[in-house]
Structure formats: C-alpha cells, structure tokens
Amino acid sequence: MTLIEMGKNAKLAAGQLMTASTPLKNSALEAIADALIKNTDIILDANKKDTESAKARGISESMLDRLTLTSTRIASIADATRQVASLPDPVGQVDSTVIRPNGLKISRVRVPLGVIGMIFEARPNVTVDAAVLCLKSGNAVILRGGSEAIHSNIALTEIMQNALEKAGLSRFSVQIISDTSRETAKELMRLNGYIDLLIPRGGAGLIRTVVENATVPVVETGVGNCHVYIDEHAQIDMGVNIIYNAKTSRPSVCNAAETLLVHKNIAEQFLPKAYEKLREKNVEIRGCSETVRILGNVKPATDTDYETEFLDYILAVKVVDSVDEAILHIKKYSSGHSECIVTDSYPTAEHFLSQVDAAAVYLNASTRFTDGGEFGLGAEIGISTQKMHVRGPMGLTALTSIKHIIYGNGQIR
Amino acid sequence: MTLIEMGKNAKLAAGQLMTASTPLKNSALEAIADALIKNTDIILDANKKDTESAKARGISESMLDRLTLTSTRIASIADATRQVASLPDPVGQVDSTVIRPNGLKISRVRVPLGVIGMIFEARPNVTVDAAVLCLKSGNAVILRGGSEAIHSNIALTEIMQNALEKAGLSRFSVQIISDTSRETAKELMRLNGYIDLLIPRGGAGLIRTVVENATVPVVETGVGNCHVYIDEHAQIDMGVNIIYNAKTSRPSVCNAAETLLVHKNIAEQFLPKAYEKLREKNVEIRGCSETVRILGNVKPATDTDYETEFLDYILAVKVVDSVDEAILHIKKYSSGHSECIVTDSYPTAEHFLSQVDAAAVYLNASTRFTDGGEFGLGAEIGISTQKMHVRGPMGLTALTSIKHIIYGNGQIR
C-alpha cells in the first residue's frame, strides 16, 4: 500500500472513530489486551527474528534489552492497555460554554485530532502504547517504527487490527509502515491533508530530522538537558537526595539531571557530601575550576559538557555566585524540559520559578517527576519540549482539539 | 540588521516581557496609542509613499483602499490598542492545580510563547493590531509585512518602538523586517531557536508557502470554504436571512458562506425565496441541475465551484437528498472553518453538529460570527483552521503556553 492510500484509509477510520462511543472504544482496547495475551507466542516468534538479526549485527546489550519482548513484558503491555481503557475519555468534554449578549451559546467541545503519525525508534512496546492512546482519544494512527523491531511491530499491529475489527472498528484505525527506509519516513512527514499531528519519539537526531523536514504539524518531544540548582539556603540533605535521585534513578531518560549548579556560599559543605553519595553509583563528575578545587580529583568541565544530555552516569557541575548566575546558565543551556531549585528561601524560590522557562520547574523535588503518570494524566505518549499545543507530558487531552459548537435561533451579524 | 541579529534581540526582549507586570504592559500599550495619534502626520506621509507607488503600479481600487490610512483610521487603530490594554492579561493565570498523593503540588500556569513571527499582506493596520496583541500577552514579535505597505509599516513600527522604550520596555519587543524580498520571508520561516510561533495571515498562496517551507511551529489561518445547509425542517425565513447574511454582509472575509446546500423536500419552496433576496445584492448563483431546474436562468455549477473560496458575490448551490449527503459534501469540500445547519429538528441538528468537523459548527446562526470579538475574546490575531494548539479565533490566550510549576518538600522518585 502506498502512503497516500494508508493516509486515505486512516482518514476514513478517523471519521468513524471521531464519533465512536466511549464504551465501544474501551471494548476495543480490552479486545486488544486480550488478543495480545492470546497471541503471545506469535509475538515472541516475531520478536525473535528481530533480536536474532540484532545480535548478528552486534548491537549493544542495552539496545538488545530494549528490543526484547518476553511473555511478562507482553502481559504488562496488555495491562497498560487495560489501564488506558479505564481512563476518562477526553472526547466530548466541554471545556467551557459562554452565552453571548446576542443569545448565541458557544461551547468549546473536545474532539479528536484525526490522524496521528508517530515515528519512533527501537522499543516495540511503544507500538501498542502509542496506538492505544490514539484510539482512546478517538484518533487513527499511522506508526513508523525502526527497522530493528519491524517483525515485532508488524505482528503487534496485525493483532491489534484483528481485535479492532472484531470489536466493530476499522482495522485501518491502526496502521504500520512496513517499509522502514528513510524515504517513507520523510514521506510521512510531508503527508499534508492526511496527518493532523506528527509525533517523533526518539533521540535528538530523529527530532531534528523531523523538525527540518516535516510540513505537517509536529510536536517535538524528549530532549532533556535538565539542571538542579542548590541554593545557599538549601537544606543540604534534601539537596543531596534530590541530585542523587535526579541523576542516578534512571540516567537514560529525558527527565534525568545532567548539570548540578551550586551556590558558592554552600559549595564547600554541599559538594563533598553530594560527591560521596553520587560515588555509590560511580557517577563521573565534570566540574568547573571551583568544583575541582573543592573535590580534588575530578575532571574539569568543558562548555560541551554543559550542552550535553549525557543520558549516563556523568554529571556536569558548576559553582555559581548567585541565583541569577544559575538562571543565566540555565537560560543558555536548557532544553526547556525540567529544571529544579532546592532552597528554603521564599523570595529566591519565587524568583527562580518565574524566571526559568521550561515545561516543568521544580521547587525542592526531583526532575524525575516530569512524567504523564506522575502528573496524574494516567499515561503519556511523549513529553513535549515545545511551547505550542502542549508542553510537558502529553496525555490523552493533548491528542484532542477543540470544536466550537454554536447554538442560535436565527442570529445574523 | 540580519535576521539572526533580529532574532537574538527579540529573544532578549522576550525575556524581559515574560515577567513584565500587567500595569507595565498596559501603560506601554497606552503609550503606543498616544504616540500613534501624536504622529498621525508622519504616518500619513509614509502611507502616501505607499499609496502613490501602488497607484503608479495600477493596483485595484479595493487593494488601494485596504492600503490607505486616514487620520480616522489611525484613530481607530489607537482605539483598538487601548481596548487590548483593557483586556484581562492571560499571563500568570493558573489553569489548574493538583496535589498528588506524594504531596507534590503541580500548577499549570500561563506563560508567553516567547517570540512570535508574523507574515502578512497589504493592510498596514495589521502591523499595530498584531504587535499589540503579542505585547499584551508578553511576547516579542518580528513582523514581515508586504512590500506595498513597507513605508507605512516602518513608520508605525518606529513609533511603537519609541513608545515602548519610553514606557520602560525594550524597543526590540517589536521589530519589522525592512527587506521585503522572498528570501527574508523564507529565512524567517526557518529561524529555529528564535521563533516560537509563526502566524501567516493572508491568502491561500501565502499560507501554502509557509506550510511548505517553515521549520518553526506554525498556526495556519484563514482559508474559509464555508457551507450553509438548509434542512427540510428549517424555518424558511430564518434560512433566507442566514444565507443572505452569511453570503453578502462581507463577502471578502473568510467566514462568509460560499456554498448553499438545500434539502430536496424544501428546495422548491426555499430556493426561489433565497434567490429573490440574494438578487438584492446581485449575487451570482452557480447551481446543480436541480437548482437550475427550480430557479431557471442560473449558471450550472462545476466541481471547481464547490472547491472555491469565492470571496465575492458568488454562491454555489446544491440540492441534496438528505442531511447525510450534506455532511458528505461538507467533508469533501470544507476547509474546516465554519459550517452551518438551519433546522428545527433536534436529532438532525445533533447529528450534523457531531458529524461535521470544523473550527465552528453553527445551528441556526450565520457563519459570520466566527470572529474573536463575536466569540468574546476581545480581539483576534487570526482564525486558525488547524487543529493543533488553537482552533478558530485566536485571542490572547492562544499566544500563550503552559509552564508546570511544581512545589515539593524533598520528594524523590
């Protein structure tokens, strides 16, 4: 099938999904969860093809782990599907209603976006997670996963399509592009008239390619160069716990901290304690000259270190003269994802929270909380680092738009 | 100045505007309004250069009228500026606050987008209108108007810049690109890292160019192929008034109706009455074979007529067998702007309102109400026909984003 044909089919399916009832959509999701469990063997067989060819190409252990499905992992994908079924349906919710002086009643009603395109890398669980969130919010989806997981992705999609059809929805509600060449990805980015929103989910390179090439609307996701600033009025233990958690609880994710900023008046006390804790996980420190002076045997930091999203057990450190120097540093290097200040000073906190512009700005809490589940959205399809449409974790509502419904009794202008 | 330099200056100005107080922004807007009045002669001199060179090139009367400023028009631009000053400031508004089970308090707070790019055509009043809405919502703006109005636009911008500086804001809060070549427009469309949102305002050609070339986030505006459907259960007089108003009250605007759909069971009664009324304004009818049969001497419609946004005293007409045929016709030809049904039947109305997907769907009211002022937004910078970020009239809130502010007391994950 050509991409245009896929687009046409998706549009037809989206037309049906637009007005599908919540119970119908939920029963389709339950049917998908059942089918995933029932077809575990088929999924594992397909996944084996992917992992074996990945091993033959000699990919890293961590990449292989991300690619691998097990019956436990399939069960947890099915569980996540059922959990999305249990979430409130955003479609049809009325955001506001106003009655104008001329008697017109104007309601802002949530409607699906239509057709969502999703370009993502390795992990095959994203295939189901993304499809399920799109379906629940009444959207059709065209998926384009990476070549490494193509057998898994095709198997998962076919299982979902059959379940959808049984539940009474179009099988074209979820489609996957089987040709994983760069050309099809670029074609998807330019499928105007068929794609209402394109979400790239992956590394900085993928996001950049999409932003540069897409002519359809895009939400940028993911890159997180996050900072934790320890103010002179911070509680030292709290600061140590927060940077330790933000750096080491899961270094490979976008809400992990990459740079620690410390006020000069607290640096002598704070840095040795933080360093002692971070060494438990063998975190490599790359510090400014003052950090090196205080800690002794740590690497000096370069400008590149402050720019880098390490996604690893590496932490850039800088001692600053003031909260304003910390804010300036963050303005210069931040990717606008998650930023944190640790302080007990109310005016300093308010100053930082208002001056720092990011999807999430924290006072006295780890940056690791920037997550759809932690924010109470139930699930997320990605974390937006742009300011348009949605900023921060994207839940079901971010997959909807507004329609104005206007009730009159003959008004003319 | 290069566009990159303008972008850097705009970013610095946006940093200041982000936290500018409402009184400061309002006093700057009042200062702009005062300065426009005070410098009326300078503006008229500059405008004369534009209109004279336009006359020399032999542009149409209506284009010339759009380009021409008078002291009355300048006064009304100043009035509009003061009206924006009087609107509520969206910045700092808290959309919602949740307290999570772990005690984290998460607030969604409205913040400015940052730097807005605006590409527009002929009318110089847009220069001030757009700048003022951006300023009120805490954004810096880079304007790129058409070459026809360049002298007026530069004069207006300089007057605004001087007023801003006097009021204590950066003069780079509002900038205009003086080089009106296509290259600078394209450069603006690709000024990633400096432009947070680009709004093209103009004809279909401009919008298409921007969508195809932009790598910065864009909101598409404007194209309106709007339909009025007269159901078999419509009140005939109400239907006549609505189509007459929707077509003729201002045919050149995007919310004017372009196609009339009529249920076959009411067509024999309705069409002659509507035609009689529309002839008062010499509206040209292009009808389907059934319309031609009923009305006699009217032109037959082609497929192209149903696709066309006439923006003129021309109306395509089609008799349909059912509300579903009307819905299908709209699905095929609609630009997703404004669609209307006239009916007294509750189930038919609900069916139409839920099945038709557009920024605004009307029951028993003219499509001409799709407008920021009419919707109660106070003013608008354009009408979005896309589904992302904002749909329909774009008021001040559409020029803002969300920041999550999270208050903790040491939470880690």
Side-chain angles (χ1 to χ4, degrees):
Chain A
M1 223 190 295
T2 67
L3 241 70
I4 299 259
E5 283 166 341
M6 289 178 77
K8 284 184 182 165
N9 288 334
K11 249 192 120 125
L12 285 173
Q16 184 196 21
L17 278 165
M18 184 176 76
T19 52
S21 71
T22 307
L24 174 56
K25 290 186 288 188
N26 288 348
S27 69
L29 296 194
E30 295 287 350
I32 286 173
D34 292 343
L36 290 171
I37 300 291
K38 204 176 141 193
N39 294 288
T40 295
D41 290 347
I42 293 173
I43 299 167
L44 291 179
D45 281 352
N47 187 247
K48 208 173 168 189
K49 286 188 201 159
D50 289 329
T51 51
E52 279 177 359
S53 92
K55 278 182 215 159
R57 285 197 319 280
I59 64 164
S60 71
E61 272 305 305
S62 70
M63 284 292 284
L64 188 64
D65 181 60
R66 285 155 59 94
L67 187 56
T68 303
L69 292 174
T70 61
S71 54
T72 316
R73 285 184 180 183
I74 293 168
S76 90
I77 295 172
D79 278 351
T81 301
R82 290 188 218 279
Q83 215 189 316
V84 172
S86 75
L87 293 175
D89 188 347
V91 175
Q93 284 182 7
V94 178
D95 276 15
S96 66
T97 300
V98 292
I99 298 177
R100 300 291 302 154
N102 58 9
L104 283 183
K105 192 177 96 180
I106 306 179
S107 287
R108 290 165 54 85
V109 181
R110 289 264 151 212
V111 293
L113 284 168
V115 179
I116 293 174
M118 181 97 196
I119 302 183
F120 56 102
E121 290 170 344
R123 286 184 297 174
N125 64 308
V126 174
T127 308
V128 181
D129 286 355
V132 160
L133 287 167
C134 291
L135 290 169
K136 175 79 188 202
S137 50
N139 297 288
V141 63
I142 298 179
L143 302 160
R144 199 281 192 185
S147 57
E148 318 78 23
I150 188 65
H151 296 99
S152 315
N153 289 342
I154 289 176
L156 290 165
T157 304
E158 280 176 1
I159 290 164
M160 289 192 281
Q161 290 180 324
N162 293 336
L164 283 165
E165 210 159 45
K166 257 195 219 164
L169 287 169
S170 165
R171 62 186 296 111
F172 297 116
S173 304
V174 178
Q175 297 177 86
I176 186 145
I177 301 174
S178 54
D179 172 357
T180 57
S181 65
R182 282 179 185 212
E183 286 63 43
T184 57
K186 287 212 174 150
E187 212 185 318
L188 184 64
M189 296 174 206
R190 308 181 77 90
L191 210 60
N192 293 70
Y194 299 104
I195 299 287
D196 294 287
L197 174 64
L198 180 64
I199 307 173
R201 206 166 128 175
L206 169 65
I207 312 285
R208 203 161 42 237
T209 304
V210 169
V211 168
E212 273 165 20
N213 290 286
T215 51
V216 300
V218 169
V219 169
E220 285 181 56
T221 64
V223 177
N225 188 11
C226 307
H227 300 75
V228 172
Y229 165 60
I230 309 294
D231 183 51
E232 59 177 323
H233 303 295
Q235 294 176 35
I236 290 194
D237 286 352
M238 186 192 285
V240 169
N241 285 335
I242 285 175
I243 186 60
Y244 178 78
N245 180 264
K247 178 71 260 180
T248 71
S249 62
R250 207 168 158 204
S252 64
V253 293
C254 57
N255 57 21
E258 306 294 2
T259 295
L260 170 67
L261 302 168
V262 185
H263 193 286
K264 63 175 181 187
N265 293 351
I266 203 171
E268 296 264 7
Q269 286 174 270
F270 180 80
L271 279 175
K273 287 198 181 172
Y275 188 35
E276 192 190 334
K277 184 84 177 159
L278 290 162
R279 275 160 82 173
E280 288 176 14
K281 297 272 187 181
N282 295 316
V283 174
E284 176 186 323
I285 301 287
R286 301 188 184 171
C288 66
S289 56
E290 188 62 5
T291 306
V292 172
R293 185 188 67 73
I294 294 169
L295 294 181
N297 61 340
V298 300
K299 276 196 191 175
T302 64
D303 237 32
T304 314
D305 289 323
Y306 294 125
E307 284 166 6
T308 304
E309 189 188 16
F310 298 113
L311 299 172
D312 202 348
Y313 291 94
I314 303 170
L315 182 67
V317 182
K318 190 181 181 186
V319 176
V320 294
D321 286 348
S322 63
V323 63
D324 280 318
E325 193 187 339
I327 291 167
L328 277 178
H329 181 97
I330 291 170
K331 277 201 179 155
K332 188 167 173 194
Y333 295 104
S334 168
S335 61
H337 193 297
S338 301
E339 309 296 348
C340 165
I341 181 173
V342 182
T343 190
D344 277 1
S345 158
Y346 176 72
T348 306
E350 287 301 305
H351 184 60
F352 184 94
L353 294 173
S354 73
Q355 288 289 331
V356 171
D357 191 25
V361 190
Y362 290 84
L363 168 61
N364 295 341
S366 170
T367 54
R368 290 276 292 109
F369 287 106
T370 306
D371 169 274
E374 294 294 331
F375 274 24
L377 306 180
E380 71 174 36
I381 200 163
I383 294 177
S384 162
T385 50
Q386 72 177 35
K387 295 189 193 168
M388 249 186 77
H389 185 64
V390 55
R391 200 178 192 198
M394 301 176 67
L396 290 170
T397 305
L399 299 177
T400 63
S401 179
I402 280 293
K403 171 159 103 179
H404 296 86
I405 297 189
I406 300 109
Y407 296 87
N409 47 24
Q411 282 85 346
I412 56 172
R413 188 179 168 195
Chain B
M1 224 190 295
T2 68
L3 242 69
I4 299 260
E5 284 166 340
M6 291 178 76
K8 283 184 183 167
N9 287 333
K11 250 192 118 124
L12 284 174
Q16 183 196 22
L17 279 166
M18 184 176 76
T19 53
S21 71
T22 307
L24 173 56
K25 290 187 289 187
N26 288 348
S27 70
L29 296 193
E30 295 288 350
I32 286 174
D34 292 344
L36 289 170
I37 300 291
K38 202 175 140 194
N39 294 290
T40 295
D41 290 347
I42 293 173
I43 299 168
L44 292 179
D45 280 354
N47 186 245
K48 207 173 168 190
K49 285 187 201 158
D50 290 329
T51 51
E52 279 177 358
S53 92
K55 277 182 214 159
R57 286 198 318 280
I59 64 163
S60 72
E61 273 304 307
S62 70
M63 283 293 284
L64 187 64
D65 181 60
R66 284 156 60 93
L67 187 56
T68 303
L69 291 174
T70 62
S71 54
T72 316
R73 285 185 179 182
I74 293 168
S76 91
I77 296 172
D79 277 352
T81 300
R82 289 188 219 281
Q83 216 189 316
V84 172
S86 75
L87 293 175
D89 187 347
V91 174
Q93 284 182 7
V94 178
D95 276 15
S96 66
T97 300
V98 292
I99 297 178
R100 300 291 304 156
N102 59 9
L104 283 182
K105 193 177 95 180
I106 306 180
S107 287
R108 291 165 54 86
V109 180
R110 289 264 151 213
V111 293
L113 284 169
V115 179
I116 293 174
M118 181 96 196
I119 302 183
F120 56 102
E121 290 169 343
R123 286 184 299 175
N125 63 309
V126 174
T127 308
V128 180
D129 286 355
V132 160
L133 287 166
C134 291
L135 290 169
K136 174 78 187 202
S137 50
N139 298 287
V141 62
I142 299 179
L143 302 160
R144 200 281 192 185
S147 57
E148 319 79 24
I150 188 65
H151 295 99
S152 315
N153 289 342
I154 289 176
L156 290 165
T157 303
E158 279 176 1
I159 290 164
M160 288 193 279
Q161 290 180 324
N162 293 336
L164 283 165
E165 210 158 44
K166 258 195 221 166
L169 287 170
S170 164
R171 60 187 296 112
F172 298 117
S173 304
V174 178
Q175 297 177 87
I176 187 143
I177 301 175
S178 54
D179 172 357
T180 57
S181 66
R182 282 180 185 210
E183 285 63 41
T184 58
K186 286 211 174 152
E187 212 184 317
L188 184 64
M189 295 174 206
R190 307 181 76 90
L191 210 60
N192 293 69
Y194 299 104
I195 299 287
D196 294 287
L197 174 64
L198 180 65
I199 307 173
R201 207 167 128 174
L206 169 65
I207 311 286
R208 202 162 40 239
T209 305
V210 170
V211 168
E212 273 165 20
N213 289 286
T215 51
V216 300
V218 169
V219 169
E220 286 182 55
T221 65
V223 178
N225 188 11
C226 306
H227 300 75
V228 172
Y229 165 61
I230 309 294
D231 183 51
E232 60 178 322
H233 303 295
Q235 294 176 36
I236 289 192
D237 286 352
M238 185 192 286
V240 169
N241 285 336
I242 285 175
I243 187 60
Y244 178 76
N245 180 264
K247 178 72 259 180
T248 71
S249 61
R250 207 168 157 204
S252 64
V253 292
C254 56
N255 58 21
E258 306 294 2
T259 294
L260 170 68
L261 302 168
V262 185
H263 193 285
K264 63 176 181 187
N265 293 351
I266 203 172
E268 297 264 8
Q269 286 173 273
F270 180 80
L271 279 176
K273 288 198 180 172
Y275 188 36
E276 192 189 335
K277 184 82 178 164
L278 289 163
R279 276 162 80 174
E280 289 176 13
K281 297 273 185 177
N282 295 315
V283 174
E284 176 187 323
I285 301 287
R286 301 189 185 170
C288 66
S289 56
E290 188 61 5
T291 306
V292 172
R293 185 188 67 72
I294 295 169
L295 294 180
N297 61 340
V298 299
K299 276 196 192 174
T302 63
D303 237 32
T304 313
D305 289 323
Y306 294 124
E307 284 166 7
T308 304
E309 188 188 15
F310 297 115
L311 300 171
D312 202 350
Y313 291 94
I314 303 170
L315 182 67
V317 181
K318 190 179 181 186
V319 175
V320 293
D321 286 346
S322 63
V323 63
D324 280 318
E325 193 187 340
I327 291 167
L328 276 179
H329 181 98
I330 291 170
K331 277 201 179 155
K332 187 167 175 192
Y333 295 104
S334 168
S335 61
H337 193 295
S338 301
E339 309 296 348
C340 165
I341 181 172
V342 182
T343 189
D344 276 1
S345 159
Y346 176 72
T348 307
E350 287 302 305
H351 183 61
F352 184 94
L353 295 174
S354 73
Q355 288 289 331
V356 171
D357 191 26
V361 190
Y362 290 85
L363 169 61
N364 296 341
S366 170
T367 54
R368 290 276 291 107
F369 287 105
T370 305
D371 169 272
E374 295 295 333
F375 274 23
L377 305 181
E380 70 174 36
I381 199 163
I383 294 177
S384 163
T385 51
Q386 73 178 35
K387 294 187 192 167
M388 250 187 77
H389 185 64
V390 55
R391 199 176 191 198
M394 299 176 69
L396 290 170
T397 305
L399 300 177
T400 63
S401 179
I402 280 292
K403 170 160 101 179
H404 296 87
I405 296 188
I406 301 110
Y407 296 87
N409 46 24
Q411 282 86 345
I412 57 172
R413 189 179 168 194

